[in-house]
Amino acid sequence: VQLVESGGDLVQPGGSLRLSCVASGFTFSTYGMSWVRQSPGSGLREWVAGIDNDGSNTYYRDSVRGRFTISRDNAKNTLFLQMNSLKPEDTNVYYCAAVTKYDCYSGSWCSWDTYNYWGQGTQVTVSS
């Protein structure tokens, strides 16, 4: 099982990035998916966005709603996060995670143990 994130970079405030997460080794289309960000220094973890297994419903934390868009392509086993109007406080390591539990991809805080699978993370830095 693998989840491999990519697309993280250094970007100026107001800029955009598109993160990707390619899944393998499990039936991607049967899992809800989340983007979660965690600070390596503080360990503080925030759920960012989630999507149903078929992409029919999406969920966002308040601070990113209207700026970020989560989507998925089940034919390509890929999850995306389009991030626009980036702010310095969006700086973090972003992880994609697969989970069957609805609460975890719809906005509730869940421990890493509750997620079924997660990737290695990709660094997003927003700075001038």
Side-chain angles (χ1 to χ4, degrees), residues 53-70:
N53 66 302
D54 61 359
S56 58
N57 293 290
T58 57
Y59 312 88
Y60 300 94
R61 69 179 299 107
D62 288 345
S63 62
V64 308
R65 187 175 291 112
R67 300 188 296 121
F68 290 10
T69 302
I70 187 172

Side-chain angles (χ1 to χ4, degrees), residues 2-100:
Q2 272 195 314
L3 288 170
V4 180
E5 302 96 335
S6 63
D9 206 344
L10 170 63
V11 62
Q12 291 187 344
S16 297
L17 284 175
R18 190 191 197 204
L19 304 185
S20 298
C21 169
V22 179
S24 61
F26 66 102
T27 307
F28 179 72
S29 62
T30 65
Y31 285 79
M33 295 297 296
S34 288
W35 286 99
V36 177
R37 60 192 182 189
Q38 179 166 318
S39 167
S42 68
L44 178 66
R45 175 157 44 92
E46 295 182 330
W47 170 86
V48 175
I51 188 168
D52 288 356
N53 66 302
D54 61 359
S56 58
N57 293 290
T58 57
Y59 312 88
Y60 300 94
R61 69 179 299 107
D62 288 345
S63 62
V64 308
R65 187 175 291 112
R67 300 188 296 121
F68 290 10
T69 302
I70 187 172
S71 61
R72 66 191 298 163
D73 184 341
N74 283 347
K76 297 182 178 180
N77 288 350
T78 304
L79 177 73
F80 302 100
L81 185 67
Q82 178 66 44
M83 304 189 294
N84 299 329
S85 302
L86 281 161
K87 304 176 180 180
E89 52 263 42
D90 294 319
T91 295
N92 223 316
V93 180
Y94 285 70
Y95 299 84
C96 65
V99 65
T100 54

Side-chain angles (χ1 to χ4, degrees), residues 36-38 43-47 61 101 103-115:
V36 177
R37 60 192 182 189
Q38 179 166 318
L44 178 66
R45 175 157 44 92
E46 295 182 330
W47 170 86
R61 69 179 299 107
K101 189 174 181 181
D103 288 351
C104 295
Y105 65 81
S106 62
S108 296
W109 189 94
C110 292
S111 66
W112 280 122
D113 288 347
T114 309
Y115 288 96

